[in-house]
Amino acid sequence: MKNKTKSFLKELRKQAEVKCDGQDNNFEKLSNLSFDSKTRLIEELRTHQIELEIQNQELRRLQVELESSRNKYQNLYDFAPVGYITVNDKGIILEANLYISSLLGIDRSSLIGASFSAFIARDSQYSHYLNIKKFLDTNISKMFELKVKKKDKTEFYAKLECFLVENGDRDEEDDGDGDEDKDENENYNQIHIVITDIDKRKKAEEALKSANEKLEHRIEERTSEINKFKVIADNANYGMVICDLDGTIKYVNKYSANIHGYEPHELIDKNISIYHNKEQLKTLKKLNENLFEQGSYNAKELLHRHKNGKCFPMLMNGFIIKNKDNQPPFFSYTSVDISNMKSLQAQLIRSERLASTGKLAASIAHEINSPLQGITFMISSLKRKNKLDPEDIDLLNEAFQNIKNTVKNLLDLHRPSKELKQLVNVNHIIEQTLNLVRGYMKKSKIKTKLILSSKIPDIIASPQLLSQVFMNLINNAIEAMTGRSEPDESLKSIISKYGKITISTNLVSDKIVITFADTGPGISENDIEQIFDPFYTRKQKGGLGIGLSICHSIIEGHNGLIKAANLPGKGAKFTILLPVD
Ligand SMILES: Nc1ncnc2c1ncn2[C@@H]1O[C@H](COP(=O)(O)OP(=O)(O)O)[C@@H](O)[C@H]1O
Ligand SMILES: [Mg+2]
């Protein structure tokens, strides 16, 4: 700027000299002027001089103002929170503000004259070169991001914004030889570069990017894990269903859909009620209320309806899926079709019933035999006397009645219709069952004691199945007391030869309590947990170990409970609880 002013003044001087040259003859004219004219001219010149002085003063004031304003902008330039540099077309730094000098850790004076590319990090050099080239070719201002290198070799991310200044000053390049006109007509460019330190932002971006990548990786991992489980769930050989709390199906696997006659996609967003009829839905509703309160349920039998209308039993597990706020937005069920198992179980119960009846054959034969013997005796006496006394007729009648009763009881308890649930009296079933085993008991010298409460109400139950349970318990008691079971050595000593079975019924709150207590050796403590398991037997001969497991499933099928306990030193006691509807 200083040099510019100098050349401007020089120019003014030249012009003045040229003008003066053209006015040489004016001095001759001046000497010919009169005194008055000369005095007026001098006056005029003085006034003009004063006018010029005033103008000069004004100019100086303006110059001071300009100077201060320039300083102000210099300060703004120097202390701006971004770096400013000006480079020439060869990349040599012509100007730099203080901020960039402190950012690079190098004196401003050392910056001036240095090549800007010396401050570009090695791995950003090429892209910097391309960027500047493109910028110069197109002259479109653009922002670049690259790494800048400080004096201490540390690097930071910076954003560069370039502006082209055409025909810029070259006074900084003035060599001071006074030959300032040398490049006067040459066109040259300067580039203003605004440099912003974006290291923190860039590092935050990088951290965010790496966090994102990690997250994406984890999501990928989780997705593949979920897919893995989905493949397992899709192809599981049991049913899986996820519903929202309104019962809308959100997921269903092939097994569950197919077993009900559907394809999975047909069921999505349908209500779970599609799997049930009205009656079954009532049970499902109860199960779900339970599920909501307790979080899960296990091995519940529930009837389902196939698309074709046929019903079949499924064994269900239910559990709640909670969200991250620990709220339960989903019900989830796993299930297996137990139709086959159920029919096998029914077959097993039937064959076990035949087996226990087989065991009673001797007893039944005895029951029929003794009245038959009476009848035979009476017939031979009729032959002899050719007449029958009225007492004999009564005896004969009684004998026939006994046979009829035994056969009736036997048939009653084995008639298929009696397998169905119907209104029954538990005391009556106990008496009927006992009737069939009376002979067996007599033979084994085992007494029975009945304490049957008359207060127990009739309930809905299968007479045949309940009788099967009672028969099993009586059979086991007889076998235990006659020593056919294999109790622990310690218990053998207390086997009583003449045993007794005490059977009682009672109404306790809304339950019928039935007990079978014997005077056998009792059940060893090791066995008591397992005696209801299928095929658990301690009997060396003849024991299949399914009697009690069948009792258990029959009583469960009546929504009841069966448990075993020991009467210390006195034998075993089985208790059955049946709900009164
Ligand atoms: N009244 C009882 N006293 C002692 N032990 C018994 C009694 N009832 C059952 N048990 C035990 O329970 C086991 C299982 O009985 P159960 O299921 O009827 O099978 P099984 O009679 O074929 O052995 C018996 O082997 C026996 O050890
Ligand atoms: Mg048994």
Side-chain angles (χ1 to χ4, degrees), residues 352 359 472 475-476 479 539 545-548:
E352 208 274 344
K359 281 184 194 169
N472 256 318
N475 268 339
N476 276 347
E479 281 165 4
K539 289 163 196 169
I546 53 171
L548 286 181

Side-chain angles (χ1 to χ4, degrees), residues 352 359 472-473 476-481 485-487 516 518 520-524 527 530-533 535-539 542-551 566 571-574:
E352 208 274 344
K359 281 184 194 169
N472 256 318
L473 295 180
N476 276 347
I478 296 172
E479 281 165 4
M481 288 186 288
S485 65
E486 296 297 322
F516 288 76
D518 62 54
I523 310 154
S524 95
D527 293 348
Q530 298 159 74
I531 52 169
F532 291 104
D533 294 348
F535 308 109
Y536 188 85
T537 180
R538 296 282 265 153
K539 289 163 196 169
L544 274 180
I546 53 171
L548 286 181
S549 87
I550 284 172
C551 291
N566 274 320
K573 180 176 162 187
F574 287 82

Side-chain angles (χ1 to χ4, degrees), residues 556-570:
E556 213 175 43
H558 284 78
N559 300 320
L561 264 181
I562 178 166
K563 40 192 188 180
N566 274 320
L567 302 166
K570 279 185 195 158

